[in-house]
Amino acid sequence: MIDDMRILVIGGAGDMGAYACRALADAPEVDAVIVADRDEAHAAERVAEFGARTTAMGLDLADADALRRALGDVDIVLNTAGPFYLFGREVLAAAIESGTHYLDICDDWEPTLEMLALDDRARAAGVTAVIGMGASPGTSNMLALLAMNECDTVDRVYTAWRAGALPPPPAGGYRPGSSAALEHWVHNCSDPIKIWRDGELIDAHALEELTLAYPGRDEEPVWVCGHPEPLTLPRLRPEIRESLNLMTSRRGLMEAMIRVAERVRSGELDIPAASGQLLSEPNTHGAEAGPSPRLPPLFAVAEGVKNGRRVRAGAQPLAIPNANMGEMTGYPLAIATLMTVRGQVERPGVHGPEGAIDPEIYFAGLGELAGAG
């Protein structure tokens, strides 16, 4: 355990980072939490909520010198500020240069590959970096690890999450506006992605429809998504032939997303316009979009061989913070950070969560925070 533990949370005043800050500020092992935000006044407002062990910092990630100064005075940095395709690699590279352990909630496949490429530099510097430590990726990777541990060899591993209902259309007949979260989802479904298939990383498009059964349940439709899990899980189990991240949802919503994504790919719509269009599509809201999926909201399935016999193993959390996406993302990040503080994560290099985090310890912590929430 590090004495005088100081943690910098970049984007700590935001919806995701705030939950991590609050959990860390309550932990006796943490001496100081620096809540960094481009808007220092907003960070100061948050600090007033978090307590005496937190301080506010104004930090613009575009200012490389300011970032280096901020990292020079802390033991661990958490990056919760997007977009990760702009700042993920840059913040991690600066952390490696300063010898600062690093965790983030990156859920984009492009910067995931860029950050994994820094593995040798992190190992040489003795820096442990855990990328994608939120809900999916994050908790999903831990579920996949539990499922894979039931196999001597793994052929296929799938992580899956539920794409929830859209907000109802507003009254008055005007077109609703998009949001950053919705635009991010449309981007993930419209742009080319990388998946692991036939034992290698290949180019693909999202929204391919498949069927999948969770052990003990019937098959249901699922749709391929562009996410980091398929890029990191085969690094731990190189024998994997197929690794996909999948969405479960009501069919009407996914069919609307397919229509909108095709218009993005054709150049007819940009991402903001497409996000607004998705909100206006018919049969996307509540029951009108079709039956609710019966698969778990967050789960993993591994298929392989154990003791010479074919097996399928599934894992889903018994307890999970589910009040909002901030809790589901920020609390996993806080748990992994506290494990790092306690000396339970000591593996230099750049890893997906499954490469550095003990799932038994992690889920015990998640259960505690879920109960507290």
Side-chain angles (χ1 to χ4, degrees):
M1 186 180 299
I2 302 172
D3 294 328
D4 192 24
M5 172 59 64
R6 295 173 57 81
I7 299 173
L8 172 68
V9 185
I10 298 173
D15 292 338
M16 310 297 178
Y19 282 94
C21 288
R22 188 174 292 110
L24 293 171
D26 288 339
E29 305 97 325
V30 177
D31 297 285
V33 178
I34 298 92
V35 181
D37 195 272
R38 186 167 57 181
D39 183 348
E40 187 171 0
H42 184 39
E45 292 174 1
R46 286 294 201 178
V47 161
E49 305 171 18
F50 298 153
R53 282 187 283 177
T54 61
T55 56
M57 173 186 289
L59 180 63
D60 185 346
L61 290 181
D63 187 338
D65 290 336
L67 176 60
R68 281 193 293 270
R69 288 193 297 271
L71 291 171
D73 193 36
V74 297
D75 304 290
I76 300 173
V77 58
L78 312 187
N79 187 7
T80 69
F84 281 93
Y85 69 84
L86 285 179
F87 298 116
R89 184 189 184 282
E90 284 67 21
V91 176
L92 175 55
I96 293 171
E97 181 182 344
S98 67
T100 307
H101 298 306
Y102 173 97
L103 300 95
D104 71 27
I105 56 170
C106 175
D107 62 352
D108 291 317
W109 68 265
E110 302 99 319
T112 295
L113 289 179
E114 294 174 351
M115 289 189 282
L116 289 172
L118 297 176
D119 181 54
D120 287 345
R121 288 171 57 180
R123 290 175 189 271
V127 168
T128 297
V130 182
I131 58 176
M133 194 60 244
S136 175
T139 301
S140 57
N141 300 66
M142 295 289 93
L143 295 171
L145 181 55
L146 290 176
M148 293 191 300
N149 284 347
E150 296 301 313
C151 306
D152 296 329
T153 61
V154 180
D155 298 325
R156 290 174 287 275
V157 60
Y158 306 110
T159 52
W161 55 280
R162 183 170 298 175
L166 296 176
Y174 62 89
R175 183 183 296 276
S178 66
S179 66
L182 185 58
E183 289 182 14
H184 182 69
W185 185 33
V186 172
H187 162 75
N188 278 348
C189 290
S190 303
D191 283 7
I193 64 173
K194 294 280 189 182
I195 61 172
W196 189 264
R197 183 167 275 169
D198 296 326
E200 62 180 349
L201 204 59
I202 65 169
D203 296 319
H205 280 292
L207 301 173
E208 174 187 357
E209 183 176 341
L210 306 169
T211 58
L212 182 67
Y214 187 83
R217 304 194 187 194
D218 293 334
E219 282 191 339
E220 288 206 15
V222 290
W223 290 265
V224 174
C225 182
H227 249 222
E229 293 98 321
L231 313 184
T232 64
L233 292 169
R235 291 166 62 91
L236 187 67
R237 301 292 291 263
E239 76 273 18
I240 291 173
R241 301 297 297 167
E242 182 170 82
S243 179
L244 302 173
N245 182 255
L246 304 167
M247 297 176 286
T248 69
S249 188
R250 299 176 189 262
R251 177 169 290 279
L253 175 56
M254 298 312 299
E255 290 180 346
M257 177 62 88
I258 290 169
R259 293 193 297 270
V260 168
E262 288 174 349
R263 295 176 68 182
V264 173
R265 293 168 187 163
S266 71
E268 180 184 350
L269 296 175
D270 62 13
I271 295 298
S275 302
Q277 177 61 39
L278 182 63
L279 291 170
S280 300
E281 289 286 307
N283 302 320
T284 58
H285 307 283
E288 69 181 26
S292 179
R294 290 169 294 177
L295 291 169
L298 185 66
F299 68 94
V301 172
E303 301 177 0
V305 175
K306 185 176 183 66
N307 298 327
R309 301 182 61 181
R310 299 290 307 174
V311 296
R312 296 181 75 250
Q316 60 175 308
L318 296 177
I320 189 169
N322 59 5
N324 55 58
M325 188 54 67
E327 282 191 9
M328 291 184 68
T329 304
Y331 281 167
L333 181 65
I335 294 164
T337 303
L338 289 174
M339 290 175 65
T340 304
V341 171
R342 294 164 182 160
Q344 297 165 332
V345 182
E346 293 183 312
R347 191 175 178 189
V350 182
H351 309 281
E354 70 282 355
I357 305 296
D358 183 311
E360 302 292 342
I361 299 173
Y362 171 76
F363 280 112
L366 188 66
E368 290 177 7
L369 274 181

